[in-house]
Amino acid sequence: MSRGLIVVDVQNDFCEGGSIPVAGGARIATRIAELVEQSAGRDYQYIVATRDHHIDPGSHFSQNPDFKDSFPVHCVAGGEGGEFHPHFAPAVTGGKVDAVFFKGAHSASKSGFEGADDEGTPLADWLRARGVEEVDVVGIATDHCVRATALDAVKAGFRARVRLDYSVGVAPDTTAAAVDDFRQAGIAVSGEAPVPQ
């Protein structure tokens, strides 16, 4: 039985200086890079990363965003904001990350399980083909894309755990609600979430 690590959306636009920054994003990018370096091939047989990759996501981009279903322009395909944060990027370019899954080209996509790799393989299919049955989910943001990815992992038949100490949320109340959602869905939770500022 293989365990995989899913690193969610550690991208410039979601960290300090980006178009919709999450406080503590850069610090979490560094922590996740350290986790990947220490655990690749040992704690995790496979490590994958997801990326928001918007081309024309319709109403997901808004000049008057509600920050629930609509947001300011972010993670545009080919733009600097959509690139992996420089604290995390070396883990990808250095070969520690086995595959990258792009999501949201033409939709408001939050879950990594809505993404596909460069060859068009969906994340769930990619994991199953390699015998992965358990996944840990980390990244940005606990109360948005990490939440959606973890919940979809369970729906896809994987055992899932969210590592809160390697994730960061937007706000305390929505992060706490996400943790409740995890537990109700049978998703294991470990570590303590950094307190959103």
Side-chain angles (χ1 to χ4, degrees):
M1 180 177 63
S2 293
R3 176 183 287 274
L5 175 68
I6 304 173
V7 179
V8 177
D9 297 1
V10 182
Q11 294 168 262
N12 289 326
D13 271 345
F14 299 136
C15 296
E16 292 83 350
S19 64
I20 43 175
V22 179
R27 182 170 53 84
I28 284 295
T30 300
R31 294 206 66 203
I32 291 172
E34 292 169 351
L35 173 66
V36 168
E37 184 66 32
Q38 294 164 4
S39 59
R42 189 175 62 190
D43 298 324
Y44 301 109
Q45 284 70 48
Y46 297 99
I47 297 175
V48 302
T50 70
R51 275 177 65 171
D52 252 15
H53 188 73
H54 296 306
I55 296 171
D56 181 14
S59 61
H60 185 55
F61 283 174
S62 174
Q63 299 212 352
N64 299 294
D66 63 14
F67 293 94
K68 181 181 177 185
D69 298 310
S70 60
F71 295 86
V73 174
H74 62 279
C75 297
V76 174
E80 185 64 27
E83 297 297 320
F84 288 120
H85 189 276
H87 294 179
F88 173 67
V92 180
T93 57
K96 298 290 186 181
V97 172
D98 298 294
V100 176
F101 293 82
F102 300 89
K103 60 189 178 67
H106 299 282
S107 66
S109 177
K110 289 189 177 182
S111 169
F113 283 89
E114 297 174 286
D117 66 10
D118 283 329
E119 298 177 356
T121 305
L123 175 55
D125 292 350
W126 192 97
L127 293 170
R128 287 192 195 104
R130 287 155 181 82
V132 175
E133 296 181 9
E134 298 183 5
V135 294
D136 283 356
V137 184
V138 301
I140 306 172
T142 310
D143 39 355
H144 288 277
C145 295
V146 169
R147 175 186 177 277
T149 300
L151 291 173
D152 276 359
V154 170
K155 289 176 186 173
F158 298 95
R159 285 191 288 278
R161 173 175 68 165
V162 173
R163 298 188 67 173
L164 295 177
D165 43 347
Y166 293 96
S167 305
V168 64
V170 173
D173 56 342
T174 51
T175 299
V179 171
D180 287 343
D181 290 342
F182 298 150
R183 291 185 170 128
Q184 289 177 19
I187 296 167
V189 177
S190 71
E192 287 192 20
V195 177
Q197 301 299 313

